[in-house]
Amino acid sequence: MRWRLLVAVLGIGALSATAAMAQGYRGAGPGSRRGSMARGFDPATVTTISGEVLAVNSLPAARGSGIHLDVKAGNDVIDVHLGPSWFLDQQKTKIAKGDTIEVTGSKVTLSGKPAFVARTVKKGSDVLALRDAAGVPAWAGQRRR
């Protein structure tokens, strides 16, 4: 009888661990409402920078390509992470080389290098909303179109 109970408990534990791992893959994890989906975003380091877009880069990402900007802010060139290209392609506000923008986001270190994970990008009177205050992406839960 105890042997059957032990097998049942271990089986339930294995199923729970599998479900937790699957959720972790989608983004549930410590430190954020959506875990890895807000990966790299630290609300404690949110600040705003302004500058000129020197380059718009499309870099390989886990699901397609991610858009990054090289922004000259003062004497620094900052690597600004926006989001997936498929999401940005759907937005009214487009960012191009030469644009003057204001970016609010989180100063972070990604892959050992300083970076800036954008929450909002303001271009003129247009505002491109990319993440909420906790860093959860606007595209969270959306499917690629």
Side-chain angles (χ1 to χ4, degrees), residues 45-87:
T45 66
V46 170
T47 189
T48 300
I49 61 168
S50 296
E52 178 186 353
V53 178
L54 299 179
V56 178
N57 306 302
S58 179
L59 302 174
R63 297 179 192 170
S65 62
I67 303 299
H68 295 217
L69 306 175
D70 293 335
V71 177
K72 181 151 178 61
N75 294 326
D76 298 322
V77 175
I78 301 169
D79 178 22
V80 177
H81 296 229
L82 297 184
S85 58
W86 64 264
F87 176 79

Side-chain angles (χ1 to χ4, degrees), residues 35-134:
S36 67
M37 293 176 75
R39 178 185 2 193
F41 192 94
D42 181 359
T45 66
V46 170
T47 189
T48 300
I49 61 168
S50 296
E52 178 186 353
V53 178
L54 299 179
V56 178
N57 306 302
S58 179
L59 302 174
R63 297 179 192 170
S65 62
I67 303 299
H68 295 217
L69 306 175
D70 293 335
V71 177
K72 181 151 178 61
N75 294 326
D76 298 322
V77 175
I78 301 169
D79 178 22
V80 177
H81 296 229
L82 297 184
S85 58
W86 64 264
F87 176 79
L88 293 164
D89 289 345
Q90 298 173 22
Q91 306 310 305
K92 180 184 98 176
T93 303
K94 306 296 182 196
I95 308 298
K97 180 179 177 179
D99 287 346
T100 298
I101 60 173
E102 179 180 283
V103 184
T104 299
S106 174
K107 290 175 23 174
V108 298
T109 301
L110 297 173
S111 301
K113 298 177 182 176
F116 201 82
V117 179
R119 185 175 78 197
T120 61
V121 179
K122 186 175 180 182
K123 175 182 165 184
S125 61
D126 293 335
V127 177
L128 177 60
L130 299 169
R131 293 171 177 79
D132 69 12

Side-chain angles (χ1 to χ4, degrees), residues 27-36:
S32 73
R33 293 190 328 230
R34 298 288 295 235
S36 67

